[in-house]
Amino acid sequence: MSREPSLTGAVSEAEFKALHVLRADAPPAPRGQELEVAGMKAYLSLPPDAKGPLPAVLVIHEWWGLNAHIRHWADRLAASGYAALAVDLYGGKVATTADEALALLRAVDPARATQALKAAHAFLQEDPRIRAPRTGSLGWCFGGSWALRTAMAIPELDAAVLYYANPVVTDAEALAPIQGSVLGIFAARDEVIPPEKPQALREALVKAGVRHRIVEFDGLHGFANPSNEDYVEASAAEAWAETSRFFENHLRP
C-alpha cells in the first residue's frame, strides 16, 4: 500500500498528486466533514487543532461537481491554515462524463447559485469554529468563473483566485463592485479558452479599478488537476505557489 501523504502541514504538489493516483485499495479518506449550509450540500475542512478566528476560503468545484478531487483541495487549504468550505452547486450530483458535466452545468440557476454562495460566505463568518475575519474564493473552470462572480456578488470578499475561468467575465461595469484582489491563472495553450480572453479580463479589471494579477502557465485546460490527463505537475506546482502567496498576502492579518 502506498503511503498516504500527511495533511498536518503544507501539502507539496508531489503529495497532492499522490492523493489522486488510482489505487487498488480505498482512496485516502477526506479529512473534513460533510454538512449542509442553507439547504446546500458542502464539505468543510479545518486546520488540525485550530480555533477561530481563521482565514477562510470558499472552494467552488469544476464542471464535474463536488468530487474527491475538490475535497482534497479543501483539505490542502486546511493543511495551510485556512478554513475551507467546498460548496456543491449541483445538489449532490457528480458527473463522470463530459456530457453529464455539461448537463449539470447548464442546469445551474445563477440566481440560486449566488444566494447559496452568499449563505456559504455568511457561514464562514458566523460559525464559532471559524469566525473568519478575512475570506477568499477559489475555483477552476466553471468554478473559476464562479469564484470571480462571488467576488462581484460579495464585495467584502478579500481575495478571489480563478483557475482557467470559463466563461471569463470581461465586462468592466460588472466587475466594478469587487473590492478585494483577483488572481487569474490561465493555461498558455488552453484549447477551451481563447487566448485573447485573459488579456480582455486584465483590461476589464484595470478599467474597473480592481487590484489583480493575471498569470499564464504552460499547459492545456485543466493542467492543475492531477486527475486530468492534461495535468502538468511543474505548472501546477508554480500555480499553487502563486495561489499560496496570494492568499497569504490577502487573507492573513
Side-chain angles (χ1 to χ4, degrees):
M1 179 186 298
S2 59
R3 183 179 68 85
E4 180 180 339
S6 169
L7 292 186
T8 58
V11 180
S12 70
E13 191 62 32
E15 289 177 317
F16 191 57
K17 176 183 177 182
L19 290 171
H20 299 75
V21 174
L22 293 177
R23 298 161 52 138
D25 58 336
R31 301 302 180 97
Q33 66 178 105
E34 308 291 335
L35 45 74
E36 285 195 3
V37 177
M40 173 184 59
K41 295 181 181 298
Y43 174 81
L44 175 67
S45 192
L46 300 174
D49 303 319
K51 296 180 180 180
L54 295 170
V57 180
L58 276 174
V59 181
I60 310 173
H61 55 76
E62 298 169 302
W63 74 336
W64 302 111
L66 179 51
N67 57 16
H69 167 61
I70 302 302
R71 290 180 175 86
H72 288 322
W73 263 106
D75 288 344
R76 188 185 205 185
L77 288 162
S80 295
Y82 302 97
L85 182 66
V87 299
D88 183 356
L89 298 182
Y90 286 175
K93 298 178 180 178
V94 175
T96 57
T97 68
D99 287 342
E100 291 175 353
L102 186 59
L104 289 172
L105 183 154
R106 288 175 171 170
V108 172
D109 178 84
R112 291 183 62 184
T114 299
Q115 289 305 309
L117 289 163
K118 287 181 176 180
H121 183 260
F123 172 88
L124 292 173
Q125 293 180 313
E126 298 166 4
D127 187 277
R129 296 166 295 179
I130 305 167
R131 295 182 288 115
R134 298 186 183 184
T135 54
S137 60
L138 170 65
W140 306 262
C141 190
F142 161 83
S145 183
W146 273 103
L148 182 59
R149 292 175 185 274
T150 300
M152 294 157 55
I154 308 173
E156 63 266 34
L157 200 78
D158 296 284
V161 178
L162 35 142
Y163 277 68
Y164 29 83
N166 188 35
V168 182
V169 179
T170 57
D171 182 342
E173 185 175 350
L175 295 168
I178 298 174
Q179 297 179 12
S181 298
V182 172
L183 172 62
I185 292 172
F186 291 91
R189 296 181 286 113
D190 200 312
E191 73 285 16
V192 176
I193 300 173
E196 64 271 14
K197 285 294 184 179
Q199 179 59 29
L201 172 61
R202 181 184 289 109
E203 293 171 356
L205 290 169
V206 169
K207 187 175 181 180
V210 177
R211 298 181 300 275
H212 66 279
R213 174 169 167 77
I214 306 296
V215 292
E216 292 186 351
F217 295 96
D218 181 58
L220 301 173
H221 196 80
F223 74 85
N225 184 345
S227 302
N228 190 321
E229 63 181 7
D230 293 321
Y231 171 68
V232 182
E233 184 172 351
S235 295
E238 292 176 10
W240 170 240
E242 283 276 355
T243 299
S244 297
R245 286 192 295 269
F246 187 78
F247 280 150
E248 182 73 23
N249 290 337
H250 296 288
L251 300 186
R252 300 290 188 183

